[in-house]
Amino acid sequence: MAWYAYCIGEKQAFPELARHRKPVPLQSVHGVSGNQVFLYPASDLAVIVSEHNPAENLNQKAGVDHARVIADCFQHSTVLPFRFGTVFNDDESLRKSIRSNQRQFQNNIEKLRGRTEMHLKIFVEDCCTKEQIHHGPAEGVGREYLSNLRENAVRQRERQTRARAVSFQMHRLFNPLDEEVSCRLTESGRMVLDIAHLIDRKCVERYQNKFHSTSAALKDCHMQLSGPWPPYHFVHRLTRGASTPAVAATVNPPVPVVRVPEAAVQVALA
């Protein structure tokens, strides 16, 4: 039997597992394709899974169901989310993967216990308007071509400076425990900063209040807030470079948001 995996939690957070060594249904929780969700015990951990048919395609609704199950478990336990589309072919592959990565999983749970992720999206008008952009000849080296190269380099530096300033300002205002930052340039000529902040779960209300006051004070930026979420970005960072669990993904997993240090925010010319 194949298992679709949602996340890893703390066994002690689920009283249903106190007297069981086999998978136990998580009452009133259904996952991908409406399948019953189970708590799969693995030493001090609980793997949240549901039965899965490998021939079944995973669509957008499945992605919503995936996130919903993780959010539900996050109400009871620190969780380490699996990427969307993670499937273990059978019991043995699931147990082997958890066993070989158990120390890492437990360490990550310890690091993230009592913490949650808040997500800021900040829209900033580009400091270099489209009217300023001129495209030089595709080939050849001439005065106009070199001039355009210099202008583009100047614009790139100006954007990076602006993005760095906004990122630094958000860090100073919200003072998170940790952060992930990415930045891109839209076709409409706006810079978009995606910022994930890791904070103490007890500080969510204070964080939300800070967002409302900051959003009202910043006239040159438009801000959006979502959360609290399970710490998706920070789980992915903790697992980067580590051994990959022996799983078979039925779909291509989404590309994670890459952390960009505050001192080196790069603007993608999308």
Side-chain angles (χ1 to χ4, degrees):
M1 176 197 307
W3 293 104
Y4 183 95
Y6 300 92
C7 59
I8 296 173
E10 301 169 279
K11 184 178 178 180
Q12 64 182 12
F14 300 97
E16 302 95 320
L17 290 177
R19 300 180 181 178
H20 296 273
R21 294 185 178 181
K22 295 184 178 181
V24 177
L26 189 56
Q27 297 299 324
S28 303
V29 180
H30 294 81
V32 172
S33 302
N35 292 334
Q36 172 66 55
V37 172
F38 289 86
L39 298 166
Y40 198 112
S43 186
D44 294 331
L45 304 173
V47 188
I48 290 76
V49 296
S50 62
E51 296 180 3
H52 180 69
N53 178 3
E56 182 179 356
N57 292 323
L58 299 178
N59 53 24
Q60 185 176 359
K61 183 180 183 304
V64 173
D65 292 336
H66 176 91
R68 176 177 48 76
V69 172
I70 296 173
D72 185 85
C73 294
F74 186 55
Q75 301 304 312
H76 309 282
S77 169
T78 302
V79 296
L80 305 178
F82 282 105
R83 293 183 183 278
F84 173 61
T86 298
V87 176
F88 293 94
N89 294 324
D90 49 36
D91 290 70
E92 178 58 27
S93 64
L94 190 155
R95 285 193 294 264
K96 181 179 179 181
S97 177
I98 300 303
R99 187 166 54 246
S100 61
N101 294 279
Q102 184 168 347
R103 179 175 296 181
Q104 178 193 337
F105 292 149
Q106 290 176 328
N107 288 342
N108 290 350
I109 283 178
E110 286 295 327
K111 292 175 182 177
L112 296 172
R113 181 176 287 116
R115 298 177 175 183
T116 189
E117 177 178 316
M118 303 297 287
H119 188 257
L120 288 174
K121 182 169 286 189
I122 305 172
F123 300 87
V124 185
E125 293 301 326
D126 188 9
C127 54
C128 305
T129 63
K130 281 192 171 183
E131 287 72 15
Q132 294 174 296
I133 299 176
H134 304 284
H135 298 284
E139 298 180 356
V141 177
R143 181 177 299 176
E144 184 180 0
Y145 178 70
L146 293 175
S147 175
N148 282 328
L149 285 180
R150 286 192 293 270
E151 290 176 6
N152 288 334
V154 169
R155 285 192 291 270
Q156 181 75 347
R157 287 194 295 270
E158 289 176 350
R159 291 179 181 126
Q160 291 177 7
T161 299
R162 178 64 170 141
R164 264 197 306 272
V166 174
S167 175
F168 176 80
Q169 187 176 20
M170 293 303 106
H171 183 88
R172 181 174 56 82
L173 288 170
F174 291 94
N175 193 28
L177 300 172
D178 204 349
E179 68 181 356
E180 289 267 358
V181 181
S182 67
C183 183
R184 60 189 172 87
L185 184 66
T186 68
E187 292 182 357
S188 62
R190 303 175 84 187
M191 290 190 299
V192 182
L193 272 74
D194 284 296
I195 304 176
H197 281 161
L198 186 68
I199 67 170
D200 193 300
R201 294 183 75 165
K202 295 180 292 186
C203 299
V204 169
E205 184 175 359
R206 184 192 310 169
Y207 186 99
Q208 292 170 332
N209 291 337
K210 174 63 72 173
F211 166 78
H212 291 303
S213 60
T214 301
S215 181
L218 293 180
K219 304 301 182 182
D220 56 342
C221 299
H222 174 65
M223 300 173 60
Q224 294 178 356
L225 173 67
S226 64
W229 300 106
Y232 288 103
H233 291 80
F234 305 96
V235 169
H236 292 164
R237 183 201 302 183
L238 289 171
T239 56
R240 270 177 220 152
S243 56
T244 304
V247 300
T250 58
V251 297
N252 293 326
V255 177
V257 174
V258 178
R259 182 174 187 270
V260 182
E262 177 191 312
V265 175
Q266 299 294 317
V267 179
L269 300 180

